[in-house]
Amino acid sequence: QVQLVESGGGLVQPGGSLRLSCAASGGIFSILAMGWYRQAPGKERDMVATITRSLSTKYADSVKGRFTISRDNAKNTLYLQMNSLKPEDTAVYYCNTFPPGADFWGKGTLVTVSS
């Protein structure tokens, strides 16, 4: 069983940066493809970025060139570096496996981009 805990969210001004972290437990993190997802108010949850165990990455068009997903298998941690943040990036951000496992959703971390 995988347990995931997101952290690092907060309030940031447009153009600012944040780095999200996702701590994984369960002992199998290093062999899993992982992803970051987000859910904005009143909208469905969408994929933001994914990373395979061989470090191949993919991004949603809306975040390409601004966000970077990475992982540290020694620390069982997934990261999302977010730069040049826009108000439309405001959402609750979640990590999960890729594809997402229904039983693995955590509480997420709220990112608010506002002046």
Side-chain angles (χ1 to χ4, degrees):
Q1 184 75 358
V2 176
Q3 292 183 324
L4 303 168
V5 179
E6 304 91 346
S7 63
L11 174 64
V12 62
Q13 292 186 343
S17 298
L18 281 175
R19 187 175 84 153
L20 306 183
S21 299
C22 169
S25 61
I28 59 172
F29 174 79
S30 64
I31 68 171
L32 297 172
M34 297 294 296
W36 283 100
Y37 306 81
R38 68 185 181 186
Q39 187 168 20
K43 296 188 177 181
E44 294 185 351
R45 187 154 42 195
D46 293 324
M47 185 276 288
V48 174
T50 63
I51 185 167
T52 68
R53 63 178 181 175
S54 60
L55 305 184
S56 176
T57 59
K58 289 186 178 181
Y59 297 90
D61 288 343
S62 59
V63 307
K64 281 181 182 176
R66 300 188 297 122
F67 290 10
T68 302
I69 188 171
S70 62
R71 64 192 300 164
D72 185 335
N73 289 338
K75 296 182 178 179
N76 287 341
T77 303
L78 181 72
Y79 301 102
L80 185 68
Q81 178 66 43
M82 306 187 295
N83 299 329
S84 302
L85 282 161
K86 303 176 180 181
E88 51 263 43
D89 295 318
T90 295
V92 178
Y93 285 72
Y94 304 86
C95 63
N96 202 323
T97 58
F98 178 73
D103 294 337
F104 302 156
W105 293 111
K107 295 182 179 181
T109 187
L110 176 63
V111 173
T112 303
V113 185
S114 175
S115 55

mmCIF file of all heavy atoms in Angstrom, residues 36-38 46-50 57-67 69 80:
data_model
loop_
_atom_site.group_PDB
_atom_site.id
_atom_site.type_symbol
_atom_site.label_atom_id
_atom_site.label_comp_id
_atom_site.label_asym_id
_atom_site.label_seq_id
_atom_site.Cartn_x
_atom_site.Cartn_y
_atom_site.Cartn_z
ATOM 1 N N TRP A 36 1.786 14.513 -10.710
ATOM 2 C CA TRP A 36 1.131 15.596 -9.986
ATOM 3 C C TRP A 36 -0.168 15.919 -10.717
ATOM 4 O O TRP A 36 -0.202 15.963 -11.950
ATOM 5 C CB TRP A 36 2.025 16.840 -9.934
ATOM 6 C CG TRP A 36 3.129 16.756 -8.935
ATOM 7 C CD1 TRP A 36 4.434 16.446 -9.179
ATOM 8 C CD2 TRP A 36 3.033 16.986 -7.539
ATOM 9 N NE1 TRP A 36 5.141 16.460 -8.020
ATOM 10 C CE2 TRP A 36 4.318 16.800 -6.987
ATOM 11 C CE3 TRP A 36 1.995 17.344 -6.671
ATOM 12 C CZ2 TRP A 36 4.595 16.948 -5.625
ATOM 13 C CZ3 TRP A 36 2.260 17.485 -5.325
ATOM 14 C CH2 TRP A 36 3.543 17.296 -4.809
ATOM 15 N N TYR A 37 -1.183 16.188 -9.926
ATOM 16 C CA TYR A 37 -2.502 16.496 -10.443
ATOM 17 C C TYR A 37 -3.000 17.728 -9.698
ATOM 18 O O TYR A 37 -2.527 18.033 -8.604
ATOM 19 C CB TYR A 37 -3.457 15.319 -10.195
ATOM 20 C CG TYR A 37 -2.946 14.006 -10.740
ATOM 21 C CD1 TYR A 37 -2.010 13.246 -10.039
ATOM 22 C CD2 TYR A 37 -3.377 13.524 -11.975
ATOM 23 C CE1 TYR A 37 -1.518 12.057 -10.533
ATOM 24 C CE2 TYR A 37 -2.897 12.324 -12.476
ATOM 25 C CZ TYR A 37 -1.961 11.600 -11.748
ATOM 26 O OH TYR A 37 -1.481 10.432 -12.253
ATOM 27 N N ARG A 38 -3.982 18.422 -10.277
ATOM 28 C CA ARG A 38 -4.539 19.569 -9.577
ATOM 29 C C ARG A 38 -6.031 19.693 -9.853
ATOM 30 O O ARG A 38 -6.505 19.279 -10.902
ATOM 31 C CB ARG A 38 -3.812 20.861 -9.962
ATOM 32 C CG ARG A 38 -4.026 21.318 -11.389
ATOM 33 C CD ARG A 38 -3.153 22.549 -11.675
ATOM 34 N NE ARG A 38 -3.349 23.040 -13.043
ATOM 35 C CZ ARG A 38 -2.624 24.016 -13.575
ATOM 36 N NH1 ARG A 38 -1.665 24.615 -12.853
ATOM 37 N NH2 ARG A 38 -2.859 24.418 -14.815
ATOM 38 N N ASP A 46 -7.148 17.413 -12.897
ATOM 39 C CA ASP A 46 -6.410 17.202 -14.142
ATOM 40 C C ASP A 46 -4.959 16.831 -13.862
ATOM 41 O O ASP A 46 -4.398 17.199 -12.829
ATOM 42 C CB ASP A 46 -6.408 18.480 -14.995
ATOM 43 C CG ASP A 46 -7.786 18.837 -15.505
ATOM 44 O OD1 ASP A 46 -8.563 17.914 -15.822
ATOM 45 O OD2 ASP A 46 -8.088 20.040 -15.578
ATOM 46 N N MET A 47 -4.372 16.146 -14.797
ATOM 47 C CA MET A 47 -2.948 15.821 -14.705
ATOM 48 C C MET A 47 -2.120 17.060 -14.994
ATOM 49 O O MET A 47 -2.414 17.807 -15.921
ATOM 50 C CB MET A 47 -2.601 14.708 -15.696
ATOM 51 C CG MET A 47 -1.181 14.203 -15.618
ATOM 52 S SD MET A 47 0.009 15.189 -16.564
ATOM 53 C CE MET A 47 -0.448 14.742 -18.248
ATOM 54 N N VAL A 48 -1.082 17.274 -14.216
ATOM 55 C CA VAL A 48 -0.166 18.401 -14.413
ATOM 56 C C VAL A 48 1.143 17.929 -15.021
ATOM 57 O O VAL A 48 1.641 18.498 -15.985
ATOM 58 C CB VAL A 48 0.107 19.120 -13.078
ATOM 59 C CG1 VAL A 48 1.168 20.204 -13.254
ATOM 60 C CG2 VAL A 48 -1.174 19.700 -12.505
ATOM 61 N N ALA A 49 1.719 16.888 -14.418
ATOM 62 C CA ALA A 49 3.016 16.389 -14.875
ATOM 63 C C ALA A 49 3.193 14.952 -14.401
ATOM 64 O O ALA A 49 2.656 14.570 -13.366
ATOM 65 C CB ALA A 49 4.157 17.246 -14.339
ATOM 66 N N THR A 50 3.953 14.177 -15.181
ATOM 67 C CA THR A 50 4.241 12.800 -14.807
ATOM 68 C C THR A 50 5.718 12.504 -14.987
ATOM 69 O O THR A 50 6.405 13.166 -15.785
ATOM 70 C CB THR A 50 3.432 11.787 -15.631
ATOM 71 O OG1 THR A 50 3.804 11.897 -17.004
ATOM 72 C CG2 THR A 50 1.940 12.034 -15.499
ATOM 73 N N THR A 57 9.657 12.444 -18.541
ATOM 74 C CA THR A 57 8.636 13.359 -18.021
ATOM 75 C C THR A 57 7.678 13.814 -19.119
ATOM 76 O O THR A 57 8.030 13.864 -20.299
ATOM 77 C CB THR A 57 9.285 14.602 -17.385
ATOM 78 O OG1 THR A 57 10.081 15.267 -18.373
ATOM 79 C CG2 THR A 57 10.157 14.228 -16.210
ATOM 80 N N LYS A 58 6.468 14.158 -18.685
ATOM 81 C CA LYS A 58 5.475 14.759 -19.559
ATOM 82 C C LYS A 58 4.741 15.838 -18.777
ATOM 83 O O LYS A 58 4.597 15.734 -17.558
ATOM 84 C CB LYS A 58 4.492 13.712 -20.079
ATOM 85 C CG LYS A 58 5.077 12.743 -21.080
ATOM 86 C CD LYS A 58 4.011 11.832 -21.671
ATOM 87 C CE LYS A 58 4.613 10.901 -22.716
ATOM 88 N NZ LYS A 58 3.588 10.013 -23.331
ATOM 89 N N TYR A 59 4.270 16.854 -19.506
ATOM 90 C CA TYR A 59 3.605 17.982 -18.876
ATOM 91 C C TYR A 59 2.320 18.348 -19.605
ATOM 92 O O TYR A 59 2.231 18.203 -20.829
ATOM 93 C CB TYR A 59 4.534 19.202 -18.863
ATOM 94 C CG TYR A 59 5.789 19.009 -18.063
ATOM 95 C CD1 TYR A 59 6.945 18.506 -18.651
ATOM 96 C CD2 TYR A 59 5.817 19.300 -16.708
ATOM 97 C CE1 TYR A 59 8.101 18.301 -17.910
ATOM 98 C CE2 TYR A 59 6.964 19.104 -15.954
ATOM 99 C CZ TYR A 59 8.097 18.612 -16.567
ATOM 100 O OH TYR A 59 9.253 18.415 -15.826
ATOM 101 N N ALA A 60 1.373 18.873 -18.850
ATOM 102 C CA ALA A 60 0.206 19.472 -19.477
ATOM 103 C C ALA A 60 0.662 20.709 -20.246
ATOM 104 O O ALA A 60 1.608 21.398 -19.830
ATOM 105 C CB ALA A 60 -0.813 19.854 -18.407
ATOM 106 N N ASP A 61 -0.006 20.995 -21.362
ATOM 107 C CA ASP A 61 0.396 22.141 -22.182
ATOM 108 C C ASP A 61 0.393 23.438 -21.374
ATOM 109 O O ASP A 61 1.230 24.321 -21.596
ATOM 110 C CB ASP A 61 -0.550 22.274 -23.378
ATOM 111 C CG ASP A 61 -0.328 21.194 -24.414
ATOM 112 O OD1 ASP A 61 0.736 20.539 -24.387
ATOM 113 O OD2 ASP A 61 -1.226 21.003 -25.256
ATOM 114 N N SER A 62 -0.516 23.547 -20.435
ATOM 115 C CA SER A 62 -0.666 24.795 -19.683
ATOM 116 C C SER A 62 0.511 25.089 -18.748
ATOM 117 O O SER A 62 0.649 26.227 -18.296
ATOM 118 C CB SER A 62 -1.963 24.751 -18.863
ATOM 119 O OG SER A 62 -1.946 23.657 -17.962
ATOM 120 N N VAL A 63 1.342 24.087 -18.459
ATOM 121 C CA VAL A 63 2.460 24.307 -17.528
ATOM 122 C C VAL A 63 3.829 24.079 -18.161
ATOM 123 O O VAL A 63 4.852 24.280 -17.503
ATOM 124 C CB VAL A 63 2.322 23.420 -16.275
ATOM 125 C CG1 VAL A 63 0.958 23.608 -15.627
ATOM 126 C CG2 VAL A 63 2.571 21.954 -16.584
ATOM 127 N N LYS A 64 3.861 23.668 -19.415
ATOM 128 C CA LYS A 64 5.145 23.426 -20.090
ATOM 129 C C LYS A 64 6.024 24.658 -20.057
ATOM 130 O O LYS A 64 5.570 25.767 -20.323
ATOM 131 C CB LYS A 64 4.907 23.000 -21.541
ATOM 132 C CG LYS A 64 4.517 21.550 -21.717
ATOM 133 C CD LYS A 64 4.330 21.211 -23.192
ATOM 134 C CE LYS A 64 3.892 19.770 -23.359
ATOM 135 N NZ LYS A 64 3.615 19.439 -24.775
ATOM 136 N N GLY A 65 7.288 24.440 -19.712
ATOM 137 C CA GLY A 65 8.237 25.541 -19.649
ATOM 138 C C GLY A 65 8.223 26.300 -18.340
ATOM 139 O O GLY A 65 9.103 27.136 -18.099
ATOM 140 N N ARG A 66 7.234 26.017 -17.483
ATOM 141 C CA ARG A 66 7.137 26.717 -16.201
ATOM 142 C C ARG A 66 7.294 25.769 -15.014
ATOM 143 O O ARG A 66 7.839 26.158 -13.981
ATOM 144 C CB ARG A 66 5.782 27.442 -16.088
ATOM 145 C CG ARG A 66 5.537 28.473 -17.160
ATOM 146 C CD ARG A 66 4.283 29.284 -16.867
ATOM 147 N NE ARG A 66 3.076 28.456 -16.853
ATOM 148 C CZ ARG A 66 2.253 28.366 -15.802
ATOM 149 N NH1 ARG A 66 2.503 29.026 -14.691
ATOM 150 N NH2 ARG A 66 1.157 27.618 -15.872
ATOM 151 N N PHE A 67 6.811 24.554 -15.155
ATOM 152 C CA PHE A 67 6.853 23.572 -14.063
ATOM 153 C C PHE A 67 7.870 22.483 -14.392
ATOM 154 O O PHE A 67 8.052 22.121 -15.556
ATOM 155 C CB PHE A 67 5.485 22.915 -13.872
ATOM 156 C CG PHE A 67 4.415 23.805 -13.302
ATOM 157 C CD1 PHE A 67 4.588 25.178 -13.168
ATOM 158 C CD2 PHE A 67 3.214 23.253 -12.882
ATOM 159 C CE1 PHE A 67 3.595 25.987 -12.652
ATOM 160 C CE2 PHE A 67 2.201 24.041 -12.353
ATOM 161 C CZ PHE A 67 2.400 25.412 -12.241
ATOM 162 N N ILE A 69 8.889 18.555 -12.913
ATOM 163 C CA ILE A 69 8.679 17.437 -12.001
ATOM 164 C C ILE A 69 9.996 16.690 -11.829
ATOM 165 O O ILE A 69 10.771 16.541 -12.777
ATOM 166 C CB ILE A 69 7.569 16.492 -12.530
ATOM 167 C CG1 ILE A 69 7.209 15.439 -11.486
ATOM 168 C CG2 ILE A 69 7.951 15.866 -13.857
ATOM 169 C CD1 ILE A 69 5.968 14.612 -11.871
ATOM 170 N N LEU A 80 7.605 19.094 -7.336
ATOM 171 C CA LEU A 80 7.106 19.882 -8.456
ATOM 172 C C LEU A 80 7.587 21.317 -8.248
ATOM 173 O O LEU A 80 7.128 22.003 -7.327
ATOM 174 C CB LEU A 80 5.582 19.842 -8.545
ATOM 175 C CG LEU A 80 4.998 20.557 -9.762
ATOM 176 C CD1 LEU A 80 5.373 19.791 -11.043
ATOM 177 C CD2 LEU A 80 3.485 20.681 -9.663
#
